[in-house]
Structures are given as C-alpha cells and as structure tokens.
C-alpha cells in the first residue's frame, strides 16, 4: 500500500519572505535587572534589538526614533518596566545592498504599558 503512493511535491513559501506586522510587549525589567545605573537605557535598547531579531528572524533591525525617545524619556537610570512595540518586517529596497531577500525590521511605535490593578475602594 505504501509503495503505491507517490510522494507529493510540496511547494512551500518561506515565512521569512512575507511582509508581517506584529505587536509585542517586551518586559525590559528582566533585561536591565542588576545592571549599573549608567548602562540601563543602552542595555534596554540592545535588548529590544535582540528581541526583534529573534522574533522576526532577520539580522537587520532598526529602532524608530520615537521608541528610542520613549525608552530614554525618564533618563538613563529609570527605564520603563514594560514597553509595547510594533514589529514589522519589510523588504530591503536598497540598491547597494547585495542581498535581495534581506528584510528590515523597524520597531515602529512604543508605548509604556501600565499595570491596571483591582481597586478595592
């Protein structure tokens, strides 16, 4: 029975070639916990880039200036605990770039996520 069945040809698209936009909440506190005060905001930016690389599976990650200002808004020491970001993977349209399939991931918008608790008043 198995010998009679011919294997099917699968034509699958690569998921990396698709243009995708997703929203994530990044818990920055766990990345900057125990880090010295003067290195907290730069470490948070590096953590956001690393998170975007991992989720979007692309080596080229660019941080939007609005998100950068949001992380640095309270200074170098007081980084937001959580931040909501929108990651979008786009095709690279640079002519000088030698890889056609390479995508850029822009962290488009960020907003600080505040914890909403139960008020027992």
């Amino acid at each position: 029975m198995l010998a009679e069945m011919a294997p099917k040809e699968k034509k699958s698209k690569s998921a990396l070639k698709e243009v995708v936009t997703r929203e994530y909440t990044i818990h920055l506190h766990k990345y900057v916990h125990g880090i010295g005060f003067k290195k907290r905001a730069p470490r948070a930016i590096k953590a956001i880039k690393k998170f975007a690389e991992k989720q979007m599976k692309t080596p080229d990650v660019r941080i939007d200036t609005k998100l950068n200002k949001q992380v640095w808004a309270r200074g170098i020491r007081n980084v937001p605990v959580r931040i909501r970001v929108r990651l979008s993977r786009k095709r690279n349209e640079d002519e000088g770039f030698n890889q056609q399939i390479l995508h850029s991931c822009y962290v488009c918008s960020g907003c600080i996520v505040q914890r909403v608790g139960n008020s027992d008043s």
Side-chain angles (χ1 to χ4, degrees):
M1 184 99 178
L2 292 175
E4 297 172 4
M5 299 174 79
K8 295 181 181 179
E9 293 182 25
K10 293 184 180 179
K11 294 182 181 178
S12 63
K13 289 184 188 177
S14 174
L16 296 177
K17 293 182 181 180
E18 295 179 17
V19 177
V20 176
T21 301
R22 296 186 195 125
E23 287 194 9
Y24 293 96
T25 301
I26 303 175
H27 191 169
L28 291 176
H29 187 263
K30 69 180 179 181
Y31 297 112
V32 298
H33 177 72
I35 303 300
F37 280 149
K38 296 298 180 184
K39 296 178 183 177
R40 286 172 84 92
R43 181 69 65 98
I45 296 294
K46 288 176 190 170
I48 291 171
K49 281 188 174 186
K50 189 174 179 183
F51 181 85
E53 278 183 31
K54 185 177 179 183
Q55 294 300 320
M56 291 292 162
K57 298 180 176 93
T58 176
D60 185 17
V61 176
R62 300 179 188 176
I63 300 285
D64 192 42
T65 55
K66 292 177 188 175
L67 179 68
N68 191 38
K69 287 182 181 179
Q70 195 112 32
V71 172
W72 283 84
R74 294 194 252 163
I76 197 167
R77 293 170 50 160
N78 301 318
V79 176
V81 176
R82 288 180 189 84
I83 196 158
R84 187 102 177 137
V85 295
R86 182 176 293 129
L87 302 178
S88 61
R89 181 171 47 219
K90 301 177 183 178
R91 288 204 172 85
N92 197 355
E93 290 142 3
D94 293 339
E95 292 178 9
F97 221 73
N98 55 359
Q99 294 182 354
Q100 299 172 356
I101 307 172
L102 185 69
H103 305 288
S104 297
C105 180
Y106 296 91
V107 182
C108 296
S109 64
C111 62
I112 297 172
V113 178
Q114 295 180 350
R115 193 171 179 195
V116 179
N118 297 338
S119 59
D120 298 330
S121 301

